């Protein structure tokens, strides 16, 4: 299908729940048609139906495991099949892993690296040239405040988010003047099942930093992305933390992060 005949959509990964679903709602409320991607078809179907009923926008879904090369490739095939092009790409799907690095499973570590870094790189590389040739659209990458410092006991996760921040800021520079935007969103802890999935829901960092609702986070991400802000950190405390993290020496920060992230039996973690 010729590019001019395709319909623009916002392609959001990890959109069946959590922040991805809240972002999908935010884009839909302002009239953007969607292509939602996650692994589980049933939750995608449910999300798509609710968003369509609430907003009337067209919502397509595609079930794929983005931690695989085939999964990323299949997203582009789905766009073609539906007759769509990605006006906006939101690289949101991401997983965490807690505990000492040497106790993390090798397969789990590789899955994290593949989803949090390789898929972001792969999908961005696949859709960005089209955006540049159309002179419109953009990429919103979801990182984390954790990307601003090394995170002992969530080492691979924090490192993966540092990659996302670095990649995004560099690409934002490269696309300057093309009318295409690249932004990175770096929230603190959010109220989702993310922490539970890595058995970290009772860890000190959650209580220390507090959690933000996904609705509040998604509003901030959407509004500032559309305004062209390159780096978006939601909330006053997180914004101040991000500034501090940029200037404090790692000799102080790394032990502090280790104190926040270390697993403790008394915190309810067996
Ligand atoms: N929660 C936080 O405190 C927090 C803080 C800062 C940054 N973040 C970042 O925000 C993003 C979203 O986090 P969240 O808390 O909303 O996560 P979440 O609630 O755990 O949701 C994860 C989403 O990603 C999908 N997903 C997981 N593995 C996938 C895979 N291999 N392929 C495709 N989709 C996959 C899940 O659906 P399926 O399981 O059906 O695939 C789900 O839709 C992540 O990048 C995370 O690192 C989160």
């Amino acid at each position: 299908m010729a590019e001019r005949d395709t319909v623009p959509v916002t392609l959001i990964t990890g959109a069946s729940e959590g922040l991805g679903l809240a972002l999908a709602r935010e884009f839909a409320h302002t009239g953007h048609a969607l292509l939602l991607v996650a692994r589980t078809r049933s939750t995608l179907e449910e999300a798509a139906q609710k968003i369509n009923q609430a907003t009337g926008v067209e919502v397509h879904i595609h079930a794929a495991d983005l931690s695989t090369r085939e999964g990323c490739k299949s997203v582009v095939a789905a766009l073609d099949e539906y007759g769509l092009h990605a006006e906006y790409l939101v690289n949101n799907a991401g997983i965490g892993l807690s505990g000492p690095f040497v106790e993390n499973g090798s397969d789990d570590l590789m899955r994290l690296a593949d989803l949090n870094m390789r898929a972001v790189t792969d999908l961005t590389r696949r859709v960005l040239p089209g955006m540049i040739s159309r002179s419109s659209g953009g990429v919103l990458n979801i990182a984390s405040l954790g990307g601003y410092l090394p995170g002992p006991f969530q080492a691979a996760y924090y490192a993966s988010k540092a990659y996302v921040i670095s990649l995004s800021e560099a690409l934002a520079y490269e696309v300057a003047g093309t009318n295409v935007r690249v932004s990175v969103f770096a929230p603190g802890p959010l109220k989702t099942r993310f922490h539970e999935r890595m058995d970290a829901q009772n860890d000190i960092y959650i209580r220390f930093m507090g959690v933000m609702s996904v609705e509040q986070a998604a509003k901030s991400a959407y509004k500032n992305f559309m305004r062209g802000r390159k780096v978006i950190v939601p909330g006053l405390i997180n914004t101040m933390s991000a500034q501090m993290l940029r200037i404090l020496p790692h000799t102080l920060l790394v032990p502090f992060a280790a104190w926040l992230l270390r697993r403790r039996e008394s915190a309810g973690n067996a």
Side-chain angles (χ1 to χ4, degrees), residues 14-20 38-40 43 64-67 92-95 115 142-144 157 161 187-190 192-195 197:
S16 59
E17 62 177 292
L19 179 61
R39 287 168 303 177
T40 316
T43 50
D65 182 351
L66 298 177
S67 68
N92 165 78
I95 48 172
L115 182 63
I142 308 303
S144 165
Y157 177 69
K161 293 302 182 180
L190 302 172
T192 71
R193 293 199 297 143
F194 177 87
H195 305 279
R197 287 186 218 283

Side-chain angles (χ1 to χ4, degrees), residues 10-17 20-21 24 34-41 43-44 59-66 71-72 74-76 78-79 82 89-90 92-93 123:
T10 299
L11 162 52
I12 306 181
T13 69
S16 59
E17 62 177 292
L21 178 56
L34 302 172
L35 175 60
L36 309 181
V37 181
R39 287 168 303 177
T40 316
R41 178 168 291 279
T43 50
L44 281 172
V59 187
H60 303 272
I61 60 166
H62 178 63
D65 182 351
L66 298 177
C72 289
S74 76
V75 174
V76 176
L79 284 169
Y82 286 130
L89 165 65
V90 182
N92 165 78
L123 290 176

Side-chain angles (χ1 to χ4, degrees), residues 12-261:
I12 306 181
T13 69
S16 59
E17 62 177 292
L19 179 61
L21 178 56
L23 283 163
R25 290 203 170 103
E26 207 57 44
F27 276 87
H29 276 297
T30 41
H32 297 270
L34 302 172
L35 175 60
L36 309 181
V37 181
R39 287 168 303 177
T40 316
R41 178 168 291 279
S42 57
T43 50
L44 281 172
E45 281 169 349
E46 199 183 318
Q49 197 186 11
K50 282 187 181 155
I51 294 172
N52 174 263
Q53 276 168 2
T55 63
V57 304
E58 197 149 346
V59 187
H60 303 272
I61 60 166
H62 178 63
D65 182 351
L66 298 177
S67 68
T68 68
R69 281 164 198 269
E70 302 71 38
C72 289
K73 213 169 155 186
S74 76
V75 174
V76 176
L79 284 169
D80 287 345
E81 192 185 318
Y82 286 130
L84 311 171
H85 67 261
E87 181 181 27
Y88 296 107
L89 165 65
V90 182
N91 279 308
N92 165 78
I95 48 172
L97 204 51
S98 68
F101 180 80
V102 292
E103 291 176 18
N104 292 154
S106 297
D107 288 348
D108 293 336
L109 281 165
M110 291 306 107
R111 196 173 305 114
L112 182 150
D114 281 338
L115 182 63
N116 293 12
M117 295 185 287
R118 197 195 43 72
V120 171
T121 314
D122 189 349
L123 290 176
T124 302
R125 176 61 184 86
R126 286 176 192 276
V127 303
L128 195 54
M131 293 172 182
I132 293 170
S133 69
R134 287 187 298 273
S135 292
S136 79
V139 179
L140 172 61
N141 287 330
I142 308 303
S144 165
L145 211 49
Y148 285 110
L149 75 168
F153 309 111
Q154 286 193 30
Y157 177 69
Y158 274 50
S160 73
K161 293 302 182 180
Y163 174 86
V164 175
I165 293 171
S166 177
L167 179 75
S168 307
E169 289 199 58
L171 294 186
Y173 184 89
E174 288 188 21
V175 301
T178 64
N179 206 37
V180 172
R181 69 198 68 178
V182 177
S183 302
V184 63
F185 182 60
L190 302 172
K191 206 170 187 174
T192 71
R193 293 199 297 143
F194 177 87
H195 305 279
E196 205 178 304
R197 287 186 218 283
M198 57 170 161
D199 196 23
Q201 69 276 17
N202 297 314
D203 284 6
I204 283 188
Y205 73 94
I206 307 268
R207 282 175 280 157
F208 186 84
M209 299 191 64
V211 287
M212 180 180 276
S213 76
V214 287
E215 290 76 19
Q216 194 185 345
K219 272 192 193 337
S220 164
Y222 178 79
K223 187 178 72 185
N224 288 298
F225 175 56
M226 288 304 173
R227 282 181 181 165
R229 286 276 301 272
K230 293 184 179 70
V231 178
I232 307 159
V233 179
L236 184 64
I237 291 177
N238 290 333
T239 305
M240 282 163 47
S241 303
Q243 298 296 349
M244 297 273 286
L245 293 173
R246 285 191 185 99
I247 52 174
L248 282 174
H250 280 194
T251 44
L252 290 177
L253 274 181
V254 177
F256 177 63
W259 176 77
L260 282 176
L261 297 169

